[in-house]
Amino acid sequence: MSVYEKKELVAQSFFQKLFKKQPKQNYMIELENKLFENENNLFAIQLSDISPLKEKYKISSKDFQYEREFLLNSYITHCLWDEHLSDDEKSQLQYLAKILDLSEDFLNKRITEEGKIIYKKKVQLVIADNKIEDSEKAELDALEKEFNISDSDSTEILGNEVSSKIQSYVDSLLAKRRISPDEEKKLNDMLSDMHVNASFSGDGITRFRKYWDIENAELVPMQSPINIQKSENMYFSATIDWYEERTRTTTISYGGIGAKFKICKGVYLRAGSIAPIRNTEEYLKFIDSGTIYFTNKRIIFMGEHGNKIIPFSKILSFTPYADGIEIDKETGKKPFFKYEDCELMGIYLARLLKDF
């Protein structure tokens, strides 16, 4: 496929004929026609043929700047179809820049800009398998040299792409709020294989490792600060506020069907019934503060005003909320345990109920 297009010259207008002037756009048409005829060997175009064209159409160095840059960019794209630039192609481009009266600095800048795009695509391809082999690093170094990409630019491109790759994997782990040993190993392998001197050990990572362990690994009992049965093990304790669901009346209104009869002036009698209507609402009533314990058999609460026990056998389900969990029992009121780290408490309770 041709890089350039052969075009017909624009005819002179009436006034151009009258004043013996040539359509200036014909300069670019003639120039592109020469490129079209010699695009496989630009050296066949004589630089000495360009000056007469400029004189013929009265062209200055500022005329058709964008159009001349476009012709150069088209040939750069043509040379980079294979994402490489040979020495011959570089020579052809340097000669073309002279034909088009464009500076070598502009040419080199454009080559480097395109090279950065190619380098970035190559980096993305290299790290697709989460590692950078020595041979792949050598290919990247060769591209850097081929397109005259500075060390700072190549380091920035490589660093950004590797960071984005790793961050994407970390984000996927954080989104599901669990990190298994295999996933942690994969993350550490990615860091090592892509030569990243970093580690992920923040509170989020540590917390989600713990969540996975609670749900999947063998639970390790904690030392119990209270007396429990010999067959019991304790796994969780926390200071909580105990609430219970209550119902209260907010307003009382009256209604009914009746008829109004006048007895005498200012005195009336209603026939029918008047029924009170109670408007109620549910709310959480604070009951007590204290320490809650989860064993492998029951929930034990030791409060300031008394102690409570909920055997696992009496629990139907529980509902986690942003600030605590609600227990649904076979009988009695539903207690609500208000606790700042309700997610951790819920995970422990779910695991212990599952194993019960």
Side-chain angles (χ1 to χ4, degrees), residues 293-348:
Y293 303 97
F294 293 168
T295 75
N296 58 323
K297 292 185 176 183
R298 54 185 173 160
I299 296 173
I300 302 171
F301 175 75
M302 303 186 71
E304 296 175 2
H305 304 296
N307 303 329
K308 299 177 185 293
I309 293 177
I310 305 176
F312 284 170
S313 59
K314 301 298 182 181
I315 296 177
L316 299 177
S317 65
F318 75 91
T319 305
Y321 293 93
D323 57 350
I325 62 173
E326 181 182 65
I327 305 296
D328 189 5
K329 304 184 297 176
E330 286 183 356
T331 58
K333 296 179 175 62
K334 297 179 180 180
F336 179 82
F337 306 149
K338 187 174 183 180
Y339 180 56
E340 60 182 8
D341 196 354
C342 59
E343 186 174 15
L344 179 64
M345 181 166 59
I347 293 172
Y348 265 112

Side-chain angles (χ1 to χ4, degrees), residues 35-52:
L35 296 177
F36 171 80
E37 293 166 359
N38 301 280
E39 64 183 33
N40 292 325
N41 181 20
L42 297 178
F43 293 111
I45 301 173
Q46 298 299 314
L47 292 177
S48 58
D49 294 336
I50 305 302
S51 294

